[in-house]
Amino acid sequence: MPYDYRPFPYTPPPGLTAPEPRHKVVIVGAGPIGLALAIDLAQYGVPSVVLDDNNVVSVGSRAICWSKRSLEILDRLGVGAKCVEKGVIWKVGRTFHRDEEVWSFDLQPEPGHKMPAFVNLQQYYVEEYLVTRAQDFPGLIDLRWKNKVTSLSHTDHVTLTIETPDGSYSLEADHLVACDGARSDIRTLMGLDFDGELFEERFLIADIEMQGDFPSERRFWFQPNFHPGQSALLHKQPDNIYRIDLQLGWDADPEAERQPEKVIPRIEKAIGHKDFRLDWVSVYTFQCRRLARFVHGPVIFCGDSAHIVSPFGARGGNGGLQDVDALGWRLAAVTKGHDPAILNAYDRERQHGADENLLNSSRTTRFMSPAPGAERLFRDAVLALAGKAPFARPLVNSGRLSVACTYPLTGPDDPALPQASRPGSVAPDAPLAQGWLIDQLGREPILLAIGQAAPEVAGLKTISLPATPELQSRYLGTAKAALYLIRPDQIIAARWLTATSAAIAAAAQAIWEDRT
Amino acid sequence: MTLITTPNLKDPDRTYAALLAAHKGLSEAETGALNARLILILMNHVGAEVFAEALALARAAGPSGS
């Protein structure tokens, strides 16, 4: 069943008739990243105006693989359950060379997490759920469809000209967050450009509707018999929609390739029958590039406007939600009078995250689309060996799927505690007697005491838990007890076997400062 | 483990001859592909550290260190 694209209503903005007071935050782009940020800010009580030049959700599935970390973030924003309920849950990926399986991975080998490793859900559903959720904050989120930014100037604040169906108006804001995607107008208006690599490769991407009996797995083929010499990917989505990505090669003409008379026969070969309906087609070129800096005075870049990666690692949408996660609580604090220097920490941490995503995506692209010569030689050698020798299988790279990065934080640490929960990491989830640990964390700094009573620290919320088997393995290792200081974005800031109230208070203070 | 750079073959001529024999009759492309598979197999066997040393030695021994 095709998605019912219903336009959102345009309402003439107040600025058309009288100047508006300066806003705290303007968000440009009502895609998943802009909407998520608006909701995050609203949950901190911070108002924002969200501008979008369009008035519908994304056309085509676009970002479809939402990682465990993204689901945890979406859950904190109030739409996680809806996404998991509607989405196709998967954790196993299989990679084939010709018709032989050469490598498989399981992204969530252990139980005891609220959220699955991944769900596949078309971007338009995620946007729809976020728009609906945004309407829970009528005084805080001012969503303006058909409002296009046409000029921008900035000093310590930004001044915008915005075009609407009823003419243009001017708007001022203390901060502007550009969440307007890979072809960001704001980036262009600021005269900024990406640094990085453009790979000479094109992929055809299509959504088809069919009655299929495919398992909920990611399937990737190198040089399949149905698409000789190239690569192909198949993902199952809700509503009997399947996503197919077919490598075209650099010489392909993108306009010709996206025509149904070219697309349909290719897909027939891939799935082996004609019983499907073509829902959406696009052709894309690989890029792995980013802005040198994401914060430019009062203008902040977030999501694809700041960095773009080649697909196959699900690092675009998921990377963008991690940007939101690192920005929301800090920007909220700045709007309440906190020193804006804390935004440098956002810039630093998300550059680190973007670099990790770019590194992984570039490596995948090199494997999938090797340059002639040595790259091609070794890629083919790996594939030839993978069917025969287990050692070669982990070298097969059809995408290293998004997991949250660990920020290089230098907060207090104790090396006796497990590696997975070191400072800079997302606090690992665990089942509690009632509910989940992840639901107890975030929004404000929290001291988590496991296997001991939490010391009293003025102004700091504390949680004390007995050591369950999951908490033991994820937070204690061989220790009997530990203390964890966890940031508003559920990132571990510091940890100790035991600590004084003064040491904890100092680490809690550092969360709000521009420190590594 | 460190890279062994002293003689380590009981019968060097015989092992060297086996390498040549494996390449006999192959086209340049086939020879390249065989070498690539061989390097990957040995890379895994010796591990990352020894491999890094081997890579450095191989580069240093080439013309202009490439």
Side-chain angles (χ1 to χ4, degrees):
Chain A
M1 164 189 57
Y3 183 80
D4 180 17
Y5 289 95
R6 270 172 293 185
F8 299 114
Y10 157 79
T11 317
L16 283 170
T17 45
E20 296 183 35
R22 188 190 296 177
H23 295 277
K24 285 186 185 302
V25 179
V26 165
I27 295 168
V28 180
I33 307 309
L35 291 165
L37 181 65
I39 294 164
D40 198 23
L41 290 173
Q43 292 193 148
Y44 290 112
V46 175
S48 63
V49 175
V50 184
L51 307 172
D52 196 281
D53 59 0
N54 203 343
N55 65 343
V56 283
V57 293
S58 86
V59 174
S61 57
R62 296 160 66 97
I64 61 164
C65 298
W66 303 93
S67 71
K68 173 176 185 280
R69 182 60 193 151
S70 289
L71 294 168
E72 289 171 351
I73 295 166
L74 292 168
D75 204 29
R76 223 167 61 225
L77 301 178
V79 300
K82 248 171 143 174
C83 291
V84 173
E85 192 183 319
K86 177 73 184 175
V88 171
I89 295 173
W90 67 276
K91 59 176 196 154
V92 172
R94 296 188 191 281
T95 301
F96 301 84
H97 179 217
R98 304 215 162 84
D99 291 332
E100 188 187 354
E101 185 178 325
V102 289
W103 167 246
S104 70
F105 54 82
D106 183 339
L107 295 162
Q108 197 169 50
E110 60 171 30
H113 296 265
K114 181 180 185 186
M115 287 297 168
F118 269 93
V119 305
N120 285 354
L121 181 64
Q122 297 91 322
Q123 183 173 328
Y124 43 73
Y125 279 117
V126 176
E127 291 184 17
E128 178 195 309
Y129 300 161
L130 288 168
V131 169
T132 303
R133 174 65 175 147
Q135 285 158 357
D136 292 343
F137 304 93
L140 291 171
I141 301 178
D142 180 350
L143 251 172
R144 301 185 183 183
W145 306 103
K146 292 262 179 206
N147 276 241
K148 182 181 171 66
V149 178
T150 54
S151 84
L152 180 159
S153 64
H154 70 91
T155 48
D156 65 330
H157 64 282
V158 293
T159 307
L160 304 172
T161 309
I162 298 162
E163 216 167 75
T164 75
D166 294 323
S168 61
Y169 68 104
S170 176
L171 202 67
E172 284 187 356
D174 292 335
H175 288 92
L176 179 150
V177 189
C179 304
D180 53 346
R183 296 190 187 89
S184 167
D185 283 341
I186 300 301
R187 203 177 59 232
T188 306
L189 290 170
M190 294 278 291
L192 298 170
D193 211 349
F194 282 145
D195 297 327
E197 284 183 285
L198 171 75
F199 290 96
E200 294 195 336
E201 186 56 84
R202 286 204 174 91
F203 265 75
L204 174 83
I205 178 172
D207 286 340
I208 61 166
E209 184 186 351
M210 65 172 175
Q211 305 294 323
D213 199 18
F214 287 91
S216 300
E217 295 173 347
R218 174 189 196 263
R219 297 206 163 178
F220 192 97
W221 292 264
F222 288 102
Q223 303 168 326
N225 293 338
F226 61 78
H227 193 44
Q230 305 283 18
S231 305
L233 174 70
L234 181 69
H235 264 299
K236 185 177 185 173
Q237 304 175 71
D239 305 340
N240 291 319
I241 304 281
Y242 289 79
R243 161 85 149 259
I244 295 177
D245 291 39
L246 295 170
Q247 189 176 16
L248 294 174
W250 186 239
D251 298 333
D253 171 1
E255 260 321 298
E257 293 297 340
R258 78 173 88 226
Q259 301 309 313
E261 59 269 26
K262 287 278 272 188
V263 174
I264 288 170
R266 274 191 201 280
I267 292 174
E268 276 176 20
K269 276 181 82 180
I271 60 174
H273 61 78
K274 298 181 179 206
D275 192 15
F276 65 91
R277 187 185 60 78
L278 193 58
D279 190 66
W280 171 69
V281 177
S282 183
V283 171
Y284 60 83
T285 303
F286 281 174
Q287 296 186 54
C288 289
R289 311 172 75 198
R290 74 165 171 92
L291 286 173
R293 288 182 294 125
F294 302 163
V295 178
H296 294 256
V299 179
I300 303 164
F301 291 85
C302 191
D304 279 358
S305 71
H307 42 71
I308 44 173
V309 292
S310 53
F312 304 113
R315 290 169 182 270
N318 292 311
L321 283 177
Q322 286 162 50
D323 290 350
V324 170
D325 204 28
L327 178 60
W329 59 283
R330 290 180 167 121
L331 185 57
V334 171
T335 65
K336 293 171 184 172
H338 197 282
D339 181 355
I342 195 179
L343 297 175
N344 297 335
Y346 160 76
D347 201 350
R348 190 172 50 243
E349 289 181 359
R350 290 318 299 163
Q351 284 187 40
H352 175 85
D355 283 344
E356 191 171 297
N357 289 331
L358 288 163
L359 178 71
N360 278 286
S361 298
S362 310
R363 287 174 174 173
T364 298
T365 305
R366 287 225 155 72
F367 194 87
M368 204 171 287
S369 187
E375 282 188 18
R376 174 94 206 185
L377 188 69
F378 284 109
R379 196 291 294 264
D380 288 350
V382 167
L383 289 175
L385 284 165
K388 299 204 164 42
F391 89 84
R393 290 170 198 162
L395 296 171
V396 174
N397 190 343
S398 72
R400 305 292 187 218
L401 277 105
S402 173
V403 285
C405 69
T406 295
Y407 297 127
L409 298 188
T410 53
D413 188 15
D414 193 305
L417 296 169
Q419 178 77 351
S421 52
R422 66 193 184 279
S425 309
V426 175
D429 196 10
L432 301 181
Q434 284 185 324
W436 299 93
L437 176 60
I438 199 80
D439 291 339
Q440 306 297 317
L441 306 175
R443 302 203 187 178
E444 62 181 306
I446 287 170
L447 179 65
L448 172 63
I450 300 170
Q452 62 184 292
E456 285 281 325
V457 182
L460 188 61
K461 187 176 155 186
T462 58
I463 299 173
S464 299
L465 294 171
T468 62
E470 292 87 358
L471 290 172
Q472 184 77 44
S473 73
R474 293 168 200 174
Y475 286 89
L476 299 182
T478 54
K480 285 205 166 55
L483 297 169
Y484 281 79
L485 179 65
I486 298 169
R487 301 195 320 199
D489 52 0
Q490 299 168 330
I491 300 287
I492 293 164
R495 61 181 184 171
W496 306 263
L497 290 174
T498 183
T500 63
S501 296
I504 296 164
Q509 179 58 34
I511 290 176
W512 300 101
E513 291 170 4
D514 173 25
R515 286 200 232 162
T516 53
Chain B
M1 278 291 284
T2 53
L3 182 71
I4 300 168
T5 55
T6 51
N8 191 39
L9 299 169
K10 270 190 196 129
D11 186 347
D13 289 350
R14 188 189 170 95
T15 306
Y16 186 74
L19 179 63
L20 294 195
H23 284 273
K24 191 158 191 217
L26 299 187
S27 68
E28 204 167 322
E30 288 165 338
T31 276
L34 178 64
N35 278 338
R37 293 195 296 274
L38 196 57
I39 289 166
L40 292 172
I41 291 164
L42 296 175
M43 175 174 90
N44 182 67
H45 183 81
V46 303
E49 284 172 35
V50 171
F51 183 73
E53 288 182 48
L55 202 56
L57 177 59
R59 296 184 72 177
S64 71
S66 61

